[in-house]
Amino acid sequence: MTDTNHPGSPTQIAVWYFVGATFAFSLPNLFFPDAELWTRILLFVAGMALMIAGGFRLAQEVGARRGGSRGDVPPPPATGPSGD
């Protein structure tokens, strides 16, 4: 398990988008079994929007953990004092 609480770590909020999407998808079946079709469609669209937003946020968080837009590319090796 990695340590994600150090100062350079980005805030992890993508998971909350996915939790919200899960609740939006299951809300009509759990709490409102007699909900009309338009309510179910509206909550389905809200759940999809939360999943898409969570995907974008997750991509930002993963990119920030990898070091920005460069990804896993290591920095060029430093040359010594003789210019080798």
Side-chain angles (χ1 to χ4, degrees):
M1 182 173 239
T2 60
D3 181 20
T4 58
N5 293 327
H6 56 76
S9 178
T11 305
Q12 296 181 4
I13 60 171
V15 68
W16 294 109
Y17 282 101
F18 295 120
V19 169
T22 302
F23 278 109
F25 286 134
S26 63
L27 192 65
N29 292 331
L30 289 175
F31 297 114
F32 308 114
D34 297 332
E36 295 182 17
L37 181 63
W38 67 269
T39 306
R40 292 179 183 270
I41 292 172
L42 182 68
L43 287 171
F44 178 78
V45 170
M48 289 301 292
L50 285 169
M51 281 187 63
I52 292 169
F56 283 120
R57 179 63 191 188
L58 182 63
Q60 289 176 349
E61 290 176 8
V62 169
R65 273 189 226 120
R66 288 186 177 169
S69 61
R70 292 176 42 135
D72 290 328
V73 178
T79 58
S82 63
D84 290 339

